[in-house]
Amino acid sequence: MASANLRAKNPGKEMLGTEFWRRILNRLGRSLKSANPHPDSTLQARPRHAASPAHKTKTSKTDATTAANPSPGKPPAKEVVETEFWHRMQYRRHQWATGANPNPNPALQARRRYVASLVHKSKMHEYAQKLNLPMPEGYADVATVEELDFSKLPETVVIKPNNLANNECVMLFRNGIEVFTGDAVPISERQEYVRATFAKSAKVNKQTRILAEEYIQDYDPAYSVPRDFKVFVAGGKGHVIQVVDRVGPKPEWSHRYYNRDWVAYGDFQGSNRFGKEIPKPPHFDELMYYADKIAADIGCFMRLDFYITQTRVVFGEFTSYPNAGKRFTELGSAVMCDLMDRYPDTV
């Protein structure tokens, strides 16, 4: 009764700043001033009083065409500042990293902390073994560069840190070349090259370990760097797939988002160039099988990163805060938030 009386005396006061409040103000601005117009001029020209079709995100083609499609190869989209998805990822980072606002059920809070720890590759490897997930072969897991003996590692090998993101300090050595940079690095110089690369990063810390892993060849041998197939999961299923092409210098990297029916979305997120559509990849059912298997086990929204070779699917890693919620367009933020709303975390 006390809360009801408070609302009666201060109607709406406690609602300031809610997401619904922000959305209504945004809609008001768009409808009265034509602010942030619809990228499709035909839809923008519809009478202002006509309601737009409800946004859907499960498997309909509507969600793939709700935003304009830039020409493939166009530069990354302008960042959308502080979208709702950005706010949610900042809150999750604070909650999961610090233990803030813990689940009142101690068992579920312990499970949350465990799931949060899976972004660390050493923990992830232990988890993958328990679930019998297909993984790259591991050659080394060491604390210092000096412990890496490149004379005993395969000539083609991936070197990466166990606790960084966004491809930082990841090196792919093949045929005497570090593929991402194009630098010539013979085996005799690799240890020093790795040391220098790690030394340049401000994010490397005492907890950082160095992993040496199998190089995974994309199912299309034209790709010297295997494409990432990143599956966004919630409610025990995979729903959205991001395909990332990292061949060439970083400014030339591109990506494209698809729904589970392999219908391409429009401009979804701006960290890479807008990529061209590709056919559904081989082993797609296997990809979704493993994504669904992990999703059902962890019970929360997560991005799961995979590779696809000519013969199999390979699991790469967990990502708890995809791109930290940054640079998602209005469409991308709406789809991600809709998944989180329809399938709330169980941890």
Side-chain angles (χ1 to χ4, degrees), residues 97-129:
T98 68
N101 190 26
N103 192 306
N105 183 320
L108 291 179
Q109 176 61 15
R111 179 66 177 173
R112 175 189 293 173
R113 296 304 297 267
Y114 172 70
V115 172
S117 75
L118 294 176
V119 297
H120 298 292
K121 294 176 178 62
S122 299
K123 286 279 189 181
M124 178 268 292
H125 278 278
E126 295 174 4
Y127 177 88
Q129 289 177 354

Side-chain angles (χ1 to χ4, degrees), residues 30-95:
R30 293 178 68 180
S31 60
L32 295 181
K33 303 177 183 178
S34 296
N36 189 22
H38 198 291
D40 185 322
S41 58
T42 303
L43 293 178
Q44 176 62 20
R46 294 181 66 192
R48 298 272 178 89
H49 65 268
S52 297
H55 179 74
K56 301 177 181 178
T57 60
K58 284 189 176 180
T59 55
S60 75
K61 293 187 179 181
T62 304
D63 56 28
T65 56
T66 341
N69 293 334
S71 299
K74 273 199 170 183
K78 184 178 180 180
E79 182 171 357
V80 178
V81 178
E82 296 191 4
T83 62
E84 171 62 11
F85 186 58
W86 179 85
H87 281 288
R88 294 190 188 195
M89 290 298 98
Q90 302 315 300
Y91 178 72
R92 173 183 271 200
R93 182 193 293 270
H94 176 65
Q95 186 181 45

Side-chain angles (χ1 to χ4, degrees), residues 158-161 164-172 178 180 194 196-204 208 210-211:
V158 175
I159 305 296
K160 62 170 69 172
L164 301 188
N166 298 322
N167 226 52
E168 187 163 357
C169 293
V170 175
M171 288 155 274
L172 197 169
E178 198 293 301
F180 288 116
V194 172
T197 300
F198 273 69
K200 293 175 186 176
S201 172
K203 296 180 181 179
V204 170
T208 301
I210 305 169
L211 309 179

Side-chain angles (χ1 to χ4, degrees), residues 68-342:
N69 293 334
S71 299
K74 273 199 170 183
K78 184 178 180 180
E79 182 171 357
V80 178
V81 178
E82 296 191 4
T83 62
E84 171 62 11
F85 186 58
W86 179 85
H87 281 288
R88 294 190 188 195
M89 290 298 98
Q90 302 315 300
Y91 178 72
R92 173 183 271 200
R93 182 193 293 270
H94 176 65
Q95 186 181 45
W96 284 27
T98 68
N101 190 26
N103 192 306
N105 183 320
L108 291 179
Q109 176 61 15
R111 179 66 177 173
R112 175 189 293 173
R113 296 304 297 267
Y114 172 70
V115 172
S117 75
L118 294 176
V119 297
H120 298 292
K121 294 176 178 62
S122 299
K123 286 279 189 181
M124 178 268 292
H125 278 278
E126 295 174 4
Y127 177 88
Q129 289 177 354
K130 290 179 182 178
L131 256 66
N132 197 29
L133 303 177
M135 295 283 295
E137 182 178 353
Y139 303 130
D141 181 346
V142 298
T144 65
V145 176
E146 288 70 28
E147 296 174 77
L148 285 176
D149 186 349
F150 280 95
S151 67
K152 296 181 180 179
L153 294 176
E155 196 283 329
T156 299
V157 66
V158 175
I159 305 296
K160 62 170 69 172
N162 72 321
N163 60 351
L164 301 188
N166 298 322
N167 226 52
E168 187 163 357
C169 293
V170 175
M171 288 155 274
L172 197 169
F173 295 109
R174 186 184 190 191
N175 298 328
I177 300 292
E178 198 293 301
V179 175
F180 288 116
T181 61
D183 294 339
V185 188
I187 291 177
S188 61
E189 298 177 11
R190 286 183 181 178
Q191 189 177 80
E192 183 55 37
Y193 188 90
V194 172
R195 182 185 292 108
T197 300
F198 273 69
K200 293 175 186 176
S201 172
K203 296 180 181 179
V204 170
N205 54 47
K206 293 180 179 179
Q207 285 71 47
T208 301
R209 295 185 64 83
I210 305 169
L211 309 179
E213 292 183 348
E214 171 191 7
Y215 165 76
I216 300 297
Q217 174 63 62
D218 192 276
Y219 66 85
D220 183 343
Y223 290 86
S224 58
V225 178
R227 285 169 291 182
D228 285 83
F229 291 80
K230 302 174 180 289
V231 184
F232 293 79
V233 303
K237 287 185 64 177
H239 299 273
V240 176
I241 303 96
Q242 177 192 13
V243 182
V244 183
D245 175 1
R246 290 196 172 104
V247 173
K250 195 166 186 177
E252 296 179 9
W253 292 1
S254 64
H255 66 178
R256 193 67 182 266
Y257 285 76
Y258 301 82
N259 68 14
R260 192 176 176 116
D261 286 340
W262 206 253
V263 178
Y265 284 96
D267 198 8
F268 201 95
Q269 198 266 344
S271 61
N272 298 301
R273 290 174 175 266
F274 187 76
K276 63 182 180 181
E277 289 187 44
I278 65 170
K280 182 186 289 187
H283 311 297
F284 181 76
D285 290 344
E286 182 182 353
L287 172 71
M288 301 315 295
Y289 165 78
Y290 283 115
D292 293 351
K293 181 178 183 178
I294 299 170
D297 183 67
I298 61 176
C300 63
F301 174 85
M302 186 75 76
R303 196 188 78 198
L304 309 174
D305 298 357
F306 294 87
Y307 307 104
I308 303 179
T309 75
Q310 291 183 348
T311 60
R312 64 180 182 140
V313 168
V314 180
F315 180 59
E317 62 186 9
F318 290 89
T319 302
S320 300
Y321 328 111
N323 292 95
K326 297 177 181 178
R327 301 184 69 82
F328 280 80
T329 65
E330 184 178 349
L331 169 65
S333 176
V335 172
M336 295 293 104
C337 291
D338 182 57
L339 287 178
M340 298 179 79
D341 289 342
R342 284 191 287 129

